[in-house]
């Protein structure tokens, strides 16, 4: 539930009556020596203790979407119980009146959480209103709404997340209340910002570039072309799937009210930065894109972007970054065409130049080892980036050279939906656009069918999960699992757009339930959404957990989510041996389970705008 003020007392009452497995507030002393801990004055041998997130919301074995269900959509809950017999359930309205009842379906042990489970399906109830609860075997869920507008605000908030991630500009508190801050990484900041950034010494360039602007990647203040590329592409794609809905969606950003739709104004902020990362004409690697720009060493938490003292550096150009730029700029060229022809032309030139440069330098790989002061975003397989870039250039220009590059790529016939797409695996981005955006590809029907086939497999995966998520990796949950789940849902959503079959729409809605509380931790992973929602995501400026004067992340911020590898020490110490779905903690120092990142919010923005459009 979204918690309007008038519901607070109801919430308090529920908190009191819910049968609680109270989670004690504990203080976890942690020793940091990690590269990304970056705490003030930390070194390998210093210690820093802070209270872990106190959790005042009682746990409950009855897990629901804490925000809400659409009255005409699927409505399922998962109950943790080892009963082998069906359990009685009752749906109660705001006044406590039973409006529907039935029995649960025992589902046995859920492998991803290690929990014994039952599923309750109350889809048949079509009423609407606020503050419903589901009672199963005498235990109550957290409250939720049955509301056709349940997702409308989420799509706005998930997209408004990007404005306060902007680099190079002061954030206006009148637009983003509570998030005002000085411009970060401009020429007048302590480290000279991003206005004249040199290359990492020894990487073969002797120029500096003005790479101001763009979005900070995450809780760090690095800017990475590969991750910027997929993020801006998903924003443009949500515009392309529904230009009308996008035009009507009012975001919290300075350009609101202009002639360009808000989501494209936000996209432009990043596209401008991506083009600045291109190696200038006349240089040996002209047209390639630098892989990333970030601090020479990890900075502390908290660090205001405007107070960063570390030297910023450009890292060597890579083929992956260059093709990300080519793909994003080619897409930008067609979406900006109706609004700003000169800008569209500029983007197309950047895309063509980048693609040609990548062909000339097809194997310049960013290494996984380059992770001091910023993330590596290493990638040694760029066949997928070639495919994606060629697809976008073909859709935009219709030119034969790009069409041939698409059809001759081995990925054109490969199952690109076998694993979730993400910043490293980008072929699906090309495939989805080839399927949905007008183009003259000869085998377009087969391409469309491949999306539907992929979606069918995700629906099958969902049916096999007690919590209904389209995700069941064999090797544990990955870093950023929530975004991978959302990207799988985007494939299912695209199948709905292609076929109009209700099972795909229902699949997307059900998948959202997992992210908003119907999961092994009874956790909503979106700040401000749900009774028990993530709010301490790893960030250097939304660092409220470390400094009460600072804010939590803005509402609509997605947490990375369960990650079986537990790369950070906080999660590593607290959660060792966790079942995949439970490898998560809402702690600011758990950067491997609880960071916020532009590409993860881009997935949330895409899917939440799809579901907002379903009413
Ligand atoms: O999201 C990235 C994940 O897929 C990788 O496994 C991980 C390690 O390379 O890096 C993640 O990205 C982080 C980036 O390197 C630095 N900024 C924060 C990103 C999210 O944690």
């Amino acid at each position: 539930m979204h918690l309007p003020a008038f519901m607070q007392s109801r919430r308090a009452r529920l908190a009191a009556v819910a049968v609680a497995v109270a989670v004690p507030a504990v203080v976890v002393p942690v020793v940091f020596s990690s590269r990304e801990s970056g705490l003030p004055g930390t070194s390998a041998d210093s210690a820093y203790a802070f209270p872990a997130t106190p959790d005042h919301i009682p746990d409950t074995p009855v897990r629901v979407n804490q925000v809400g269900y659409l009255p005409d959509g699927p409505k399922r809950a998962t109950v943790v119980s080892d009963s082998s017999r069906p359990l009685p359930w009752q749906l109660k309205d705001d006044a406590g009146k039973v409006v529907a009842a039935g029995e649960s379906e025992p589902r046995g042990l859920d492998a991803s959480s290690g929990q014994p489970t039952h599923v309750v399906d109350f889809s048949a109830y079509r009423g609407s209103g606020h503050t419903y609860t589901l009672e199963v075997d005498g235990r109550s869920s957290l409250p939720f709404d049955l509301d056709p507008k349940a997702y409308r605000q989420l799509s706005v908030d998930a997209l408004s997340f990007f404005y306060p991630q902007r680099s190079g500009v002061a954030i206006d508190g009148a637009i983003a209340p509570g998030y005002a801050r000085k411009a970060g990484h401009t020429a007048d900041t302590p480290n000279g910002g991003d206005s004249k950034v040199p290359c990492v010494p020894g990487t073969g360039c002797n120029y500096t570039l003005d790479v101001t602007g763009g979005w900070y990647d995450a809780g760090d203040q690095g800017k990475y072309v590969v991750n910027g590329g997929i993020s801006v592409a998903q924003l443009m794609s949500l515009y392309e799937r529904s230009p009308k809905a996008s035009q009507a969606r009012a975001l919290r950003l300075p350009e609101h009210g202009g002639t360009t739709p808000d989501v494209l104004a936000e996209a432009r902020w990043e596209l401008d930065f991506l083009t600045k990362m291109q190696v200038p004409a006349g240089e040996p690697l002209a047209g390639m894109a630098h892989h990333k720009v970030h601090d020479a060493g990890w900075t502390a938490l908290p660090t205001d972007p405007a107070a960063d003292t570390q030297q910023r550096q450009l890292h060597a150009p890579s083929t992956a970054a260059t093709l990300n730029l080519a793909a994003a700029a080619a897409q930008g060229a067609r979406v900006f065409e109706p609004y700003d022809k000169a800008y569209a032309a500029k983007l197309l030139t950047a895309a063509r130049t980048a693609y040609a440069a990548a062909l000339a330098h097809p194997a310049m790989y960013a290494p996984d080892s380059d992770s001091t002061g910023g993330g590596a975003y290493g990638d040694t397989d760029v066949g997928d980036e070639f495919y994606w870039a060629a697809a976008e250039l073909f859709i935009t220009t219709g030119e034969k050279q790009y069409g041939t590059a698409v059809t001759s790529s081995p990925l054109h016939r490969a199952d690109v939906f076998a694993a979730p797409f993400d910043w490293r695996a980008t072929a699906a981005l090309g495939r989805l656009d080839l399927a949905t955006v007008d183009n003259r590809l000869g085998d377009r029907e087969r391409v469309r069918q491949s999306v539907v086939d992929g979606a069918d497999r995700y629906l099958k995966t969902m049916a096999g999960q007690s919590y209904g998520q389209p995700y069941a990796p064999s090797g544990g949950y990955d870093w950023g699992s929530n975004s991978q789940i959302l990207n799988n849902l985007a494939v299912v959503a695209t199948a709905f757009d292609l076929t109009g079959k209700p099972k795909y729409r229902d699949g997307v809605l059900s998948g959202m339930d997992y992210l908003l509380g119907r999961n092994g931790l009874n956790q909503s992973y979106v700040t401000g959404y749900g009774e028990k929602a993530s709010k301490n995501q790893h960030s250097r400026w939304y660092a409220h957990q470390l400094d009460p004067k600072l804010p939590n992340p803005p509402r609509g911020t997605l947490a990375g989510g369960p990650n079986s590898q537990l790369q950070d020490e906080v999660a590593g110490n607290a959660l060792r041996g966790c079942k995949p779905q439970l490898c998560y903690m809402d702690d600011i120092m758990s950067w491997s389970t609880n960071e916020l990142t532009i590409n993860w919010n881009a997935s949330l923005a895409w899917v939440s705008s799809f579901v907002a459009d379903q009413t």
Side-chain angles (χ1 to χ4, degrees):
M1 207 175 60
H2 193 188
L3 288 188
F6 72 90
M7 285 183 201
Q8 298 290 332
S9 59
R10 170 72 174 163
R11 172 185 166 169
R13 186 160 71 78
L14 275 162
V17 296
V19 183
V21 183
V23 182
V26 282
V27 173
V28 185
V30 186
V31 180
F32 289 110
S33 57
S34 124
R35 60 183 179 92
E36 203 169 347
S37 68
L39 285 160
T42 37
S43 64
D45 57 1
S46 66
Y48 186 79
F50 62 87
T53 315
D55 192 342
H56 302 300
I57 300 297
D59 197 2
T60 163
V62 185
R63 277 79 192 265
V64 296
N65 178 330
Q66 297 166 22
V67 174
Y69 300 85
L70 301 189
D72 67 348
K75 301 170 201 76
R76 294 190 193 93
T78 301
V79 185
V80 181
S81 165
D82 56 12
S83 166
S84 56
R85 288 194 308 275
L87 300 169
W89 62 261
Q90 297 182 317
L91 177 66
K92 294 184 171 178
D93 70 10
D94 194 16
K97 188 179 145 220
V98 177
V99 295
E103 283 193 338
S104 69
E105 179 201 343
R107 291 288 296 262
L109 191 74
D110 168 58
S112 71
S113 63
Q115 297 167 344
T117 53
H118 287 225
V119 169
V120 169
D121 190 337
F122 57 106
S123 308
Y125 183 72
R126 295 290 168 119
S128 61
H130 295 284
T131 328
Y132 286 85
T133 51
L134 185 70
E135 222 173 271
V136 185
D137 206 19
R139 313 186 90 177
S140 179
S141 71
L142 293 173
F144 53 88
D145 299 338
L146 300 178
D147 181 357
K149 295 205 262 331
Y151 286 107
R152 207 159 283 173
Q153 190 59 34
L154 180 58
S155 63
V156 171
D157 290 343
L159 280 165
S160 296
F161 160 92
F162 290 88
Y163 169 53
Q165 285 293 123
R166 287 187 191 182
S167 175
V169 68
I171 302 303
D172 183 346
I175 297 168
Y179 294 93
R181 60 174 173 80
K182 287 189 212 142
H185 300 93
T186 46
D188 56 349
T189 55
N191 60 0
D194 291 343
S195 56
K196 271 177 111 179
V197 183
C199 293
V200 172
T203 55
C205 99
N206 51 16
Y207 50 80
T208 61
L209 289 183
D210 173 357
V211 290
T212 47
W215 302 314
Y216 295 122
D217 189 57
D220 65 319
Q221 291 155 16
K223 301 190 293 195
Y224 312 84
V225 171
V226 290
N227 210 39
I230 182 173
S231 306
V232 76
Q234 280 190 297
L235 261 51
M236 292 188 287
S237 286
L238 78 85
Y239 167 82
E240 280 193 294
R241 90 158 275 283
S242 182
K244 265 206 186 126
S246 294
Q247 277 150 1
R249 195 172 281 120
L251 305 183
R252 297 186 295 275
L253 41 73
E255 297 82 359
H256 174 65
T259 49
T260 307
D262 289 355
V263 65
L264 292 187
E266 193 58 70
R268 185 171 182 156
W269 187 263
E270 183 68 5
L271 285 167
D272 284 348
F273 160 72
L274 294 178
T275 56
K276 290 180 183 180
M277 291 291 278
Q278 211 163 11
V279 177
E283 298 291 339
L285 292 174
M288 294 290 284
H290 284 275
H291 195 64
K292 53 181 186 166
V293 53
H294 60 69
D295 296 306
W298 288 103
T299 58
L301 260 78
T303 290
D304 184 324
D308 182 4
T309 55
Q310 288 272 346
Q311 174 65 49
R312 305 281 276 183
Q313 293 174 329
L314 290 169
H315 292 243
S318 71
T319 309
T322 304
L323 290 165
N324 261 262
L325 167 65
Q331 187 178 12
R334 64 175 182 264
V335 299
F336 279 96
E337 172 74 18
Y339 302 105
D340 186 339
K341 289 206 170 6
Y343 187 58
K346 181 185 157 197
L347 288 175
L348 188 55
T349 302
R352 287 181 189 281
T353 315
Y355 189 80
L359 283 176
H361 306 280
M364 288 185 69
Y365 301 133
D368 271 330
S369 55
D370 186 10
S371 61
T372 302
Y377 283 113
D379 192 353
T380 51
D381 178 357
V382 297
D384 52 325
E385 280 80 9
F386 268 112
Y387 180 67
W388 175 31
E392 298 303 338
L393 276 158
F394 174 68
I395 296 169
T396 301
T397 66
E399 286 171 20
K400 202 169 161 214
Q401 51 165 330
Y402 301 123
T404 306
V406 167
T407 50
S408 65
S409 164
L411 287 169
H412 190 50
R413 292 185 164 269
D415 177 9
V416 297
F417 303 113
F421 69 88
D422 64 8
W423 62 268
R424 188 188 270 121
T426 59
L429 295 165
R431 182 75 64 82
L432 290 167
D433 282 356
L434 287 169
T436 55
V437 184
D438 250 9
N439 68 79
R440 294 205 185 152
L441 198 66
D443 59 350
R444 189 120 182 266
E445 272 320 305
R446 191 193 57 79
V447 163
R448 286 169 175 252
Q449 188 56 44
S450 77
V451 175
V452 176
D453 293 345
D456 283 336
R457 277 202 311 276
Y458 291 137
L459 289 186
K460 207 166 157 207
T461 302
M462 295 177 80
Q465 301 292 308
S466 298
Y467 285 103
Q469 70 278 33
Y471 188 65
S474 50
Y477 274 33
D478 204 356
W479 193 324
S481 63
N482 283 341
S483 161
Q484 300 202 336
I485 287 171
L486 283 159
N487 286 346
N488 290 349
L489 290 178
V491 177
V492 179
T494 304
F496 177 71
D497 288 342
L498 291 173
T499 66
K501 289 193 183 154
K503 66 175 177 177
Y504 300 116
R505 169 189 186 263
D506 287 357
V508 181
L509 292 166
S510 259
M512 284 303 287
D513 297 342
Y514 168 87
L515 293 155
L516 296 171
R518 184 191 170 200
N519 54 51
L521 293 170
N522 193 31
Q523 177 81 23
S524 163
Y525 292 107
V526 182
T527 307
Y529 283 82
E531 306 277 327
K532 182 172 179 275
S534 302
K535 60 179 184 307
N536 294 311
Q537 289 93 328
H538 182 80
S539 165
R540 279 165 175 71
W541 63 106
Y542 308 135
H544 181 79
Q545 192 185 339
L546 299 175
D547 178 351
K549 290 193 295 297
L550 294 171
N552 287 111
R555 67 185 200 219
T557 300
L558 180 73
N563 171 5
S564 299
Q565 280 75 46
L566 302 177
Q567 283 92 340
D568 67 84
E569 291 171 27
V570 181
N573 289 339
L575 303 175
R576 191 158 303 129
C578 50
K579 291 286 178 195
Q581 223 206 99
L582 309 186
C583 298
Y584 169 80
M585 57 197 294
D586 184 21
D587 191 298
I588 193 165
M589 294 316 298
S590 181
W591 42 266
S592 72
T593 78
N594 198 36
E595 193 154 355
L596 55 87
T597 301
I598 52 173
N599 63 317
W600 302 340
N601 247 76
S603 320
L604 178 66
W606 197 103
V607 177
S608 60
S609 66
F610 171 88
V611 291
D613 290 354
Q614 298 311 310
T615 50

